[in-house]
Coordinates of all heavy atoms in Angstrom, one line a residue:
R1 N -7.5 62.8 3.5 CA -8.2 63.6 2.5 C -7.4 63.6 1.1 O -6.2 63.8 1.1 CB -8.2 65.1 3.0 CG -9.5 65.4 3.7 CD -9.4 66.8 4.3 NE -9.3 67.9 3.3 CZ -10.3 68.6 2.8 NH1 -11.5 68.3 3.1 NH2 -10.1 69.5 1.9
M2 N -8.3 63.5 0.1 CA -7.7 63.5 -1.3 C -7.6 65.0 -1.7 O -8.4 65.8 -1.5 CB -8.6 62.8 -2.2 CG -8.3 61.3 -2.2 SD -8.8 60.4 -3.8 CE -10.6 60.8 -3.9
S3 N -6.5 65.3 -2.4 CA -6.3 66.6 -3.0 C -7.3 66.8 -4.1 O -7.9 65.8 -4.6 CB -4.9 66.7 -3.5 OG -4.7 65.9 -4.7
R4 N -7.5 68.0 -4.6 CA -8.4 68.3 -5.7 C -7.9 67.5 -6.9 O -8.7 67.0 -7.7 CB -8.4 69.8 -5.9 CG -9.5 70.2 -7.0 CD -9.6 71.7 -7.2 NE -10.1 72.4 -6.0 CZ -9.6 73.5 -5.5 NH1 -8.5 74.0 -6.1 NH2 -10.1 74.0 -4.5
H5 N -6.6 67.5 -7.1 CA -6.0 66.8 -8.3 C -6.3 65.3 -8.2 O -6.8 64.7 -9.2 CB -4.5 67.1 -8.4 CG -3.9 66.4 -9.5 ND1 -4.1 66.8 -10.8 CD2 -3.0 65.3 -9.6 CE1 -3.4 66.0 -11.6 NE2 -2.8 65.1 -10.9
A6 N -6.2 64.7 -7.1 CA -6.4 63.3 -6.9 C -7.9 63.0 -7.2 O -8.3 62.0 -7.8 CB -6.0 62.8 -5.5
K7 N -8.8 63.9 -6.7 CA -10.2 63.7 -6.9 C -10.6 63.7 -8.4 O -11.4 62.9 -8.9 CB -11.0 64.8 -6.2 CG -11.3 64.5 -4.7 CD -12.2 65.5 -4.1 CE -12.4 65.2 -2.6 NZ -12.1 66.4 -1.8
K8 N -9.9 64.7 -9.1 CA -10.2 64.8 -10.6 C -9.7 63.5 -11.3 O -10.4 63.0 -12.2 CB -9.4 66.0 -11.2 CG -10.1 67.3 -11.0 CD -9.3 68.5 -11.4 CE -9.3 68.6 -12.9 NZ -8.6 69.8 -13.4
L9 N -8.6 62.9 -10.9 CA -8.1 61.7 -11.5 C -9.1 60.5 -11.2 O -9.1 59.6 -12.0 CB -6.7 61.3 -10.9 CG -5.6 62.3 -11.4 CD1 -4.3 61.8 -10.7 CD2 -5.5 62.3 -12.9
R10 N -9.8 60.6 -10.1 CA -10.8 59.5 -9.8 C -12.2 59.7 -10.4 O -13.0 58.8 -10.3 CB -10.9 59.4 -8.3 CG -9.6 59.1 -7.5 CD -8.9 57.8 -7.8 NE -9.8 56.7 -7.8 CZ -9.6 55.5 -8.5 NH1 -8.6 55.4 -9.3 NH2 -10.5 54.5 -8.5
D11 N -12.4 60.9 -11.0 CA -13.7 61.3 -11.5 C -13.9 60.7 -12.9 O -13.2 61.0 -13.8 CB -13.8 62.8 -11.6 CG -15.2 63.3 -12.0 OD1 -15.9 62.5 -12.7 OD2 -15.5 64.4 -11.7
H12 N -14.8 59.8 -13.0 CA -15.0 59.1 -14.3 C -15.5 60.0 -15.4 O -15.3 59.7 -16.6 CB -16.1 58.0 -14.1 CG -15.6 56.8 -13.4 ND1 -14.9 55.7 -13.9 CD2 -15.6 56.5 -12.0 CE1 -14.5 54.9 -13.0 NE2 -14.9 55.3 -11.8
D13 N -16.0 61.2 -15.1 CA -16.4 62.2 -16.1 C -15.2 62.9 -16.6 O -15.2 63.4 -17.7 CB -17.5 63.1 -15.6 CG -18.9 62.5 -15.6 OD1 -19.1 61.7 -16.5 OD2 -19.7 62.9 -14.8
I14 N -14.1 63.0 -15.9 CA -12.9 63.7 -16.3 C -11.9 62.8 -16.8 O -11.2 63.0 -17.8 CB -12.4 64.5 -15.1 CG1 -13.4 65.6 -14.6 CG2 -11.0 65.1 -15.4 CD1 -13.0 66.3 -13.4
N15 N -11.7 61.6 -16.1 CA -10.6 60.7 -16.5 C -11.3 59.4 -17.1 O -11.9 58.6 -16.4 CB -9.8 60.3 -15.3 CG -8.7 59.3 -15.6 OD1 -8.6 58.9 -16.7 ND2 -7.9 58.9 -14.6
P16 N -11.2 59.2 -18.4 CA -11.8 58.1 -19.0 C -11.1 56.8 -18.8 O -11.5 55.7 -19.1 CB -11.7 58.4 -20.5 CG -10.6 59.3 -20.7 CD -10.5 60.1 -19.4
C17 N -9.9 56.8 -18.2 CA -9.1 55.7 -18.0 C -8.9 55.2 -16.5 O -7.8 54.7 -16.2 CB -7.7 55.9 -18.7 SG -7.9 56.3 -20.4
V18 N -9.9 55.5 -15.7 CA -9.8 55.1 -14.3 C -9.6 53.6 -14.1 O -8.8 53.2 -13.4 CB -11.0 55.6 -13.5 CG1 -11.0 55.1 -12.1 CG2 -11.1 57.1 -13.5
A19 N -10.4 52.8 -14.9 CA -10.3 51.4 -14.8 C -8.9 50.9 -15.2 O -8.3 50.0 -14.5 CB -11.4 50.7 -15.6
E20 N -8.4 51.4 -16.2 CA -7.0 51.0 -16.7 C -6.0 51.4 -15.7 O -5.0 50.7 -15.4 CB -6.7 51.6 -18.1 CG -7.5 51.1 -19.2 CD -8.9 51.6 -19.3 OE1 -9.4 52.4 -18.5 OE2 -9.6 51.1 -20.2
T21 N -6.1 52.6 -15.1 CA -5.2 53.1 -14.1 C -5.2 52.1 -12.9 O -4.2 51.7 -12.4 CB -5.6 54.5 -13.6 OG1 -5.6 55.4 -14.7 CG2 -4.6 55.0 -12.5
D22 N -6.4 51.8 -12.4 CA -6.6 50.9 -11.3 C -6.0 49.5 -11.6 O -5.3 48.9 -10.7 CB -8.1 50.7 -10.9 CG -8.6 52.0 -10.3 OD1 -7.8 52.9 -10.0 OD2 -9.8 52.1 -10.1
A23 N -6.3 49.0 -12.8 CA -5.7 47.6 -13.1 C -4.2 47.6 -13.2 O -3.6 46.7 -12.7 CB -6.3 47.2 -14.5
T24 N -3.6 48.7 -13.7 CA -2.2 48.8 -13.7 C -1.6 48.9 -12.3 O -0.6 48.2 -12.0 CB -1.7 50.1 -14.5 OG1 -2.3 50.0 -15.8 CG2 -0.2 50.2 -14.7
T25 N -2.2 49.7 -11.5 CA -1.7 49.8 -10.1 C -1.8 48.5 -9.4 O -0.9 48.1 -8.7 CB -2.6 50.9 -9.3 OG1 -2.4 52.1 -10.1 CG2 -2.1 51.1 -7.9
K26 N -2.9 47.8 -9.5 CA -3.1 46.5 -8.9 C -2.1 45.5 -9.4 O -1.5 44.8 -8.6 CB -4.5 45.9 -9.2 CG -4.8 44.6 -8.5 CD -6.2 44.1 -8.8 CE -6.5 42.8 -8.0 NZ -5.5 41.8 -7.8
C27 N -1.8 45.5 -10.7 CA -0.8 44.6 -11.2 C 0.6 44.9 -10.6 O 1.3 44.0 -10.2 CB -0.7 44.7 -12.8 SG 0.5 43.6 -13.5
M28 N 0.9 46.1 -10.5 CA 2.2 46.5 -10.0 C 2.3 46.1 -8.5 O 3.3 45.5 -8.1 CB 2.4 48.0 -10.1 CG 2.7 48.5 -11.5 SD 4.2 47.9 -12.2 CE 5.3 49.1 -11.4
N29 N 1.2 46.3 -7.8 CA 1.2 45.9 -6.3 C 1.3 44.4 -6.2 O 2.1 43.9 -5.4 CB -0.1 46.4 -5.7 CG -0.2 47.9 -5.5 OD1 0.8 48.5 -5.4 ND2 -1.4 48.4 -5.3
D30 N 0.6 43.7 -7.0 CA 0.6 42.2 -7.0 C 1.9 41.6 -7.4 O 2.2 40.4 -7.0 CB -0.6 41.6 -7.9 CG -1.9 41.9 -7.3 OD1 -2.1 42.4 -6.2 OD2 -2.9 41.7 -8.1
N31 N 2.7 42.3 -8.2 CA 3.9 41.7 -8.8 C 5.2 42.4 -8.3 O 6.2 42.4 -8.9 CB 3.9 41.8 -10.3 CG 2.9 40.8 -10.9 OD1 3.1 39.6 -10.8 ND2 1.7 41.3 -11.4
N32 N 5.0 43.0 -7.1 CA 6.2 43.6 -6.4 C 6.9 44.6 -7.3 O 8.1 44.7 -7.3 CB 7.2 42.5 -6.0 CG 8.0 42.9 -4.8 OD1 7.6 43.8 -4.1 ND2 9.0 42.2 -4.5
Y33 N 6.1 45.4 -8.0 CA 6.5 46.5 -8.8 C 7.5 46.1 -9.9 O 8.4 46.9 -10.3 CB 7.1 47.7 -7.9 CG 5.9 48.3 -7.2 CD1 5.5 47.8 -5.9 CD2 5.2 49.3 -7.7 CE1 4.4 48.3 -5.3 CE2 4.1 49.9 -7.0 CZ 3.7 49.3 -5.8 OH 2.6 49.8 -5.2
K34 N 7.4 44.9 -10.4 CA 8.2 44.5 -11.6 C 7.4 44.9 -12.8 O 6.4 44.2 -13.2 CB 8.4 43.0 -11.5 CG 9.3 42.5 -10.4 CD 9.6 41.1 -10.5 CE 10.5 40.6 -9.4 NZ 9.8 39.6 -8.5
K35 N 7.8 46.0 -13.5 CA 7.1 46.5 -14.6 C 6.9 45.5 -15.7 O 5.9 45.5 -16.4 CB 7.8 47.8 -15.1 CG 7.6 49.0 -14.3 CD 8.3 50.2 -15.0 CE 8.0 51.4 -14.1 NZ 8.6 52.6 -14.7
D36 N 7.9 44.7 -16.0 CA 7.8 43.7 -17.1 C 6.7 42.7 -16.9 O 6.2 42.1 -17.9 CB 9.1 43.0 -17.3 CG 9.6 42.3 -16.1 OD1 9.5 42.8 -15.0 OD2 10.2 41.2 -16.3
M37 N 6.2 42.6 -15.7 CA 5.0 41.7 -15.4 C 3.7 42.3 -15.8 O 2.7 41.7 -15.9 CB 5.0 41.3 -13.9 CG 6.2 40.6 -13.4 SD 6.4 39.0 -14.1 CE 5.2 38.1 -13.1
C38 N 3.7 43.6 -16.0 CA 2.5 44.4 -16.2 C 2.4 45.1 -17.6 O 1.6 46.0 -17.8 CB 2.3 45.4 -15.1 SG 2.3 44.7 -13.5
T39 N 3.2 44.6 -18.5 CA 3.3 45.3 -19.9 C 1.9 45.5 -20.5 O 1.7 46.5 -21.1 CB 4.2 44.5 -20.8 OG1 5.5 44.2 -20.1 CG2 4.5 45.2 -22.1
D40 N 1.1 44.4 -20.5 CA -0.2 44.5 -21.1 C -1.1 45.6 -20.5 O -1.8 46.3 -21.2 CB -1.0 43.1 -20.9 CG -0.4 42.1 -21.8 OD1 0.4 42.4 -22.7 OD2 -0.7 40.9 -21.6
Y41 N -1.0 45.7 -19.2 CA -1.7 46.8 -18.5 C -1.3 48.2 -18.9 O -2.1 49.1 -19.1 CB -1.6 46.6 -16.9 CG -2.3 45.4 -16.5 CD1 -1.6 44.2 -16.3 CD2 -3.7 45.3 -16.2 CE1 -2.3 43.0 -15.8 CE2 -4.4 44.2 -15.8 CZ -3.6 43.0 -15.6 OH -4.3 41.9 -15.2
F42 N 0.1 48.3 -19.0 CA 0.6 49.6 -19.4 C 0.1 49.9 -20.8 O -0.2 51.1 -21.2 CB 2.1 49.6 -19.4 CG 2.7 49.7 -18.0 CD1 3.5 48.7 -17.5 CD2 2.4 50.8 -17.2 CE1 4.0 48.7 -16.2 CE2 2.9 50.9 -15.9 CZ 3.7 49.8 -15.4
L43 N 0.1 48.9 -21.7 CA -0.3 49.1 -23.1 C -1.8 49.5 -23.2 O -2.2 50.4 -23.9 CB 0.0 47.8 -23.9 CG -0.2 47.9 -25.4 CD1 0.7 48.9 -26.0 CD2 0.0 46.5 -26.0
K44 N -2.6 48.8 -22.4 CA -4.1 49.1 -22.4 C -4.3 50.6 -21.9 O -5.1 51.3 -22.4 CB -4.8 48.2 -21.5 CG -5.0 46.8 -22.1 CD -5.8 45.9 -21.2 CE -5.8 44.5 -21.8 NZ -6.1 43.5 -20.8
Y45 N -3.5 51.0 -20.8 CA -3.6 52.3 -20.3 C -3.2 53.3 -21.4 O -3.9 54.3 -21.6 CB -2.8 52.5 -19.1 CG -2.7 53.9 -18.6 CD1 -3.8 54.4 -17.9 CD2 -1.6 54.7 -18.9 CE1 -3.7 55.8 -17.4 CE2 -1.6 56.0 -18.4 CZ -2.6 56.6 -17.7 OH -2.6 57.9 -17.3
R46 N -2.1 53.1 -22.0 CA -1.6 54.0 -23.1 C -2.6 54.1 -24.2 O -2.9 55.2 -24.7 CB -0.2 53.6 -23.5 CG 0.4 54.7 -24.4 CD 1.8 54.4 -24.8 NE 1.8 53.5 -25.9 CZ 2.7 52.5 -26.0 NH1 3.6 52.2 -25.1 NH2 2.6 51.7 -27.0
N47 N -3.1 53.0 -24.6 CA -4.1 53.0 -25.7 C -5.4 53.8 -25.3 O -5.9 54.5 -26.1 CB -4.5 51.6 -26.1 CG -3.4 50.9 -26.9 OD1 -2.4 51.5 -27.4 ND2 -3.4 49.6 -26.9
C48 N -5.8 53.6 -24.1 CA -6.9 54.4 -23.6 C -6.7 55.9 -23.6 O -7.5 56.6 -24.2 CB -7.3 53.9 -22.2 SG -8.6 54.8 -21.4
R49 N -5.5 56.3 -23.1 CA -5.2 57.7 -23.1 C -5.1 58.3 -24.5 O -5.6 59.4 -24.7 CB -3.8 57.9 -22.3 CG -3.8 57.5 -20.9 CD -4.7 58.3 -20.0 NE -4.5 59.7 -20.1 CZ -5.2 60.7 -19.5 NH1 -6.3 60.3 -18.8 NH2 -5.0 61.9 -19.6
E50 N -4.4 57.5 -25.4 CA -4.3 58.0 -26.8 C -5.6 58.2 -27.5 O -5.9 59.1 -28.2 CB -3.3 57.1 -27.5 CG -1.9 57.3 -27.1 CD -0.9 56.3 -27.8 OE1 -1.4 55.4 -28.6 OE2 0.3 56.3 -27.6
F51 N -6.5 57.2 -27.3 CA -7.8 57.2 -27.9 C -8.6 58.4 -27.5 O -9.1 59.2 -28.3 CB -8.5 55.9 -27.6 CG -9.9 55.9 -28.2 CD1 -10.2 55.6 -29.5 CD2 -11.0 56.2 -27.4 CE1 -11.4 55.6 -30.0 CE2 -12.3 56.2 -27.9 CZ -12.5 55.9 -29.2
W52 N -8.7 58.6 -26.1 CA -9.6 59.7 -25.6 C -8.9 61.0 -25.8 O -9.6 62.0 -26.0 CB -9.9 59.4 -24.2 CG -10.9 58.3 -24.1 CD1 -10.7 57.0 -23.6 CD2 -12.2 58.2 -24.6 NE1 -11.8 56.3 -23.7 CE2 -12.8 57.0 -24.4 CE3 -13.0 59.2 -25.3 CZ2 -14.1 56.6 -24.8 CZ3 -14.3 58.8 -25.7 CH2 -14.8 57.5 -25.5
H53 N -7.6 61.1 -25.9 CA -6.9 62.3 -26.2 C -7.3 62.8 -27.6 O -7.5 63.9 -27.9 CB -5.4 62.2 -26.0 CG -4.7 63.5 -26.3 ND1 -4.7 64.5 -25.4 CD2 -3.9 63.9 -27.4 CE1 -4.0 65.5 -25.9 NE2 -3.5 65.1 -27.1
G54 N -7.3 61.8 -28.5 CA -7.6 62.1 -29.9 C -9.1 62.6 -30.0 O -9.3 63.6 -30.7
I55 N -10.0 62.0 -29.3 CA -11.4 62.4 -29.3 C -11.5 63.8 -28.7 O -12.1 64.7 -29.3 CB -12.2 61.5 -28.4 CG1 -12.3 60.1 -28.9 CG2 -13.7 62.0 -28.2 CD1 -13.2 59.8 -30.1
M56 N -10.7 64.1 -27.6 CA -10.7 65.4 -27.0 C -10.2 66.5 -27.9 O -10.8 67.6 -28.0 CB -9.9 65.3 -25.7 CG -10.2 66.4 -24.7 SD -9.4 66.2 -23.2 CE -7.7 66.8 -23.5
M57 N -9.1 66.2 -28.6 CA -8.5 67.1 -29.6 C -9.5 67.4 -30.7 O -9.6 68.6 -31.1 CB -7.2 66.7 -30.1 CG -6.1 66.5 -29.0 SD -5.9 67.9 -27.9 CE -5.3 69.1 -29.0
Q58 N -10.2 66.4 -31.2 CA -11.2 66.6 -32.3 C -12.3 67.5 -31.8 O -12.7 68.4 -32.5 CB -11.7 65.2 -32.7 CG -12.6 65.3 -34.0 CD -11.8 65.8 -35.2 OE1 -10.8 65.3 -35.5 NE2 -12.4 66.8 -35.9
R59 N -12.8 67.2 -30.6 CA -13.9 68.1 -30.1 C -13.4 69.5 -29.9 O -14.2 70.4 -30.1 CB -14.4 67.5 -28.7 CG -15.2 66.2 -29.0 CD -15.5 65.5 -27.7 NE -16.3 66.2 -26.7 CZ -17.6 65.9 -26.5 NH1 -18.2 64.9 -27.1 NH2 -18.2 66.6 -25.6
R60 N -12.2 69.7 -29.4 CA -11.6 71.0 -29.2 C -11.6 71.8 -30.6 O -12.0 72.9 -30.7 CB -10.2 70.9 -28.6 CG -9.6 72.3 -28.3 CD -8.3 72.2 -27.6 NE -8.4 71.6 -26.3 CZ -7.4 71.1 -25.6 NH1 -6.2 71.1 -26.1 NH2 -7.6 70.6 -24.4
R61 N -11.1 71.1 -31.6 CA -11.0 71.7 -33.0 C -12.4 72.1 -33.4 O -12.6 73.0 -34.1 CB -10.4 70.7 -33.9 CG -8.9 70.7 -33.9 CD -8.3 70.0 -35.1 NE -8.6 68.6 -35.1 CZ -7.9 67.6 -34.4 NH1 -6.8 68.0 -33.7 NH2 -8.2 66.4 -34.5
N62 N -13.4 71.2 -33.1 CA -14.8 71.5 -33.6 C -15.6 72.4 -32.6 O -16.8 72.6 -32.9 CB -15.6 70.1 -33.7 CG -15.0 69.2 -34.8 OD1 -14.3 69.7 -35.7 ND2 -15.2 68.0 -34.7
G63 N -15.0 72.9 -31.6 CA -15.6 73.8 -30.6 C -16.7 73.1 -29.8 O -17.6 73.8 -29.3
V64 N -16.6 71.8 -29.6 CA -17.5 71.1 -28.8 C -17.1 71.2 -27.3 O -16.0 71.0 -26.9 CB -17.6 69.6 -29.2 CG1 -18.6 68.8 -28.3 CG2 -18.0 69.5 -30.7
K65 N -18.1 71.5 -26.4 CA -17.9 71.5 -25.0 C -18.8 70.5 -24.3 O -19.9 70.4 -24.7 CB -18.1 72.9 -24.4 CG -17.2 74.0 -25.0 CD -15.9 74.0 -24.3 CE -15.1 75.2 -24.8 NZ -13.7 75.1 -24.5
P66 N -18.4 69.9 -23.2 CA -17.0 69.9 -22.8 C -16.1 69.1 -23.7 O -16.6 68.2 -24.5 CB -17.1 69.2 -21.4 CG -18.2 68.2 -21.5 CD -19.2 69.0 -22.4
E67 N -14.8 69.4 -23.7 CA -13.9 68.7 -24.6 C -13.8 67.2 -24.4 O -13.7 66.4 -25.3 CB -12.5 69.3 -24.5 CG -12.5 70.8 -25.1 CD -11.3 71.6 -24.8 OE1 -10.4 71.1 -24.1 OE2 -11.2 72.7 -25.2
M68 N -13.9 66.8 -23.1 CA -13.9 65.4 -22.7 C -15.3 65.0 -22.6 O -16.0 65.5 -21.7 CB -13.1 65.1 -21.4 CG -13.1 63.6 -21.0 SD -12.5 62.5 -22.2 CE -10.8 62.8 -22.2
P69 N -15.8 64.0 -23.4 CA -17.2 63.5 -23.2 C -17.4 63.0 -21.8 O -16.5 62.4 -21.2 CB -17.3 62.4 -24.2 CG -16.1 62.5 -25.1 CD -15.1 63.3 -24.4
S70 N -18.6 63.1 -21.3 CA -19.0 62.6 -20.0 C -18.9 61.0 -20.0 O -18.8 60.4 -21.1 CB -20.4 63.0 -19.6 OG -21.3 62.3 -20.4
A71 N -18.9 60.4 -18.9 CA -18.8 58.9 -18.8 C -19.9 58.3 -19.6 O -19.7 57.3 -20.4 CB -18.8 58.5 -17.3
D72 N -21.1 58.8 -19.5 CA -22.3 58.3 -20.3 C -22.1 58.4 -21.8 O -22.3 57.5 -22.6 CB -23.6 58.9 -19.9 CG -24.1 58.5 -18.5 OD1 -23.6 57.4 -18.0 OD2 -24.9 59.2 -17.9
E73 N -21.6 59.6 -22.2 CA -21.4 59.9 -23.6 C -20.3 59.0 -24.1 O -20.4 58.5 -25.3 CB -21.0 61.3 -23.8 CG -21.2 61.9 -25.1 CD -20.9 63.4 -25.3 OE1 -20.9 64.1 -24.2 OE2 -20.7 63.8 -26.4
R74 N -19.2 58.8 -23.3 CA -18.1 57.9 -23.8 C -18.6 56.5 -24.0 O -18.2 55.8 -24.9 CB -17.0 57.9 -22.8 CG -16.2 59.2 -22.8 CD -14.9 59.1 -22.1 NE -14.9 58.6 -20.7 CZ -15.1 59.3 -19.6 NH1 -15.2 60.6 -19.7 NH2 -15.2 58.7 -18.5
K75 N -19.5 56.0 -23.1 CA -20.0 54.7 -23.2 C -20.7 54.5 -24.6 O -20.6 53.5 -25.3 CB -21.0 54.4 -22.0 CG -21.4 53.0 -21.9 CD -22.3 52.8 -20.7 CE -22.9 51.4 -20.6 NZ -23.8 51.3 -19.6
K76 N -21.5 55.5 -24.9 CA -22.3 55.5 -26.2 C -21.3 55.5 -27.4 O -21.5 54.8 -28.4 CB -23.2 56.7 -26.3 CG -24.4 56.5 -25.3 CD -25.3 57.8 -25.4 CE -26.4 57.6 -24.3 NZ -26.8 58.9 -23.7
I77 N -20.2 56.3 -27.3 CA -19.2 56.4 -28.4 C -18.6 55.0 -28.6 O -18.5 54.5 -29.7 CB -18.1 57.4 -28.0 CG1 -18.7 58.9 -28.1 CG2 -16.9 57.3 -29.0 CD1 -17.8 59.9 -27.6
L78 N -18.2 54.3 -27.5 CA -17.6 53.0 -27.6 C -18.6 52.0 -28.1 O -18.3 51.1 -28.9 CB -17.1 52.6 -26.2 CG -15.9 53.4 -25.7 CD1 -15.5 52.9 -24.3 CD2 -14.7 53.2 -26.6
E79 N -19.9 52.1 -27.7 CA -20.9 51.1 -28.2 C -21.1 51.3 -29.7 O -21.3 50.3 -30.4 CB -22.2 51.3 -27.4 CG -22.2 50.7 -26.0 CD -23.4 51.1 -25.1 OE1 -24.2 51.9 -25.6 OE2 -23.4 50.7 -24.0
S80 N -21.1 52.6 -30.1 CA -21.3 52.8 -31.5 C -20.2 52.3 -32.4 O -20.4 52.0 -33.6 CB -21.5 54.3 -31.8 OG -20.3 55.0 -31.7
M81 N -19.0 52.1 -31.8 CA -17.9 51.6 -32.5 C -17.9 50.0 -32.6 O -17.1 49.5 -33.3 CB -16.6 52.1 -31.9 CG -16.4 53.6 -32.0 SD -15.0 54.1 -31.1 CE -13.7 53.5 -32.1
G82 N -18.7 49.4 -31.7 CA -18.7 48.0 -31.6 C -17.6 47.5 -30.7 O -17.0 46.5 -30.8

């Protein structure tokens, strides 16, 4: 059984970086946990977190709820950016 916290981390509406998390984990597993082999994955994950954290903070300042856009809404935001 997954804990409530683990379920939240897997929820695409709550965690915008599930794909990046999974790719990083897979890279680490495939490369015997040699972090230097997965630098690009760590960078993509960090960029994802920083980007969506910025969006979330902006929405919080503007009083927009929910603070984290849903998975569908995030897709539209990314599409609008090209």
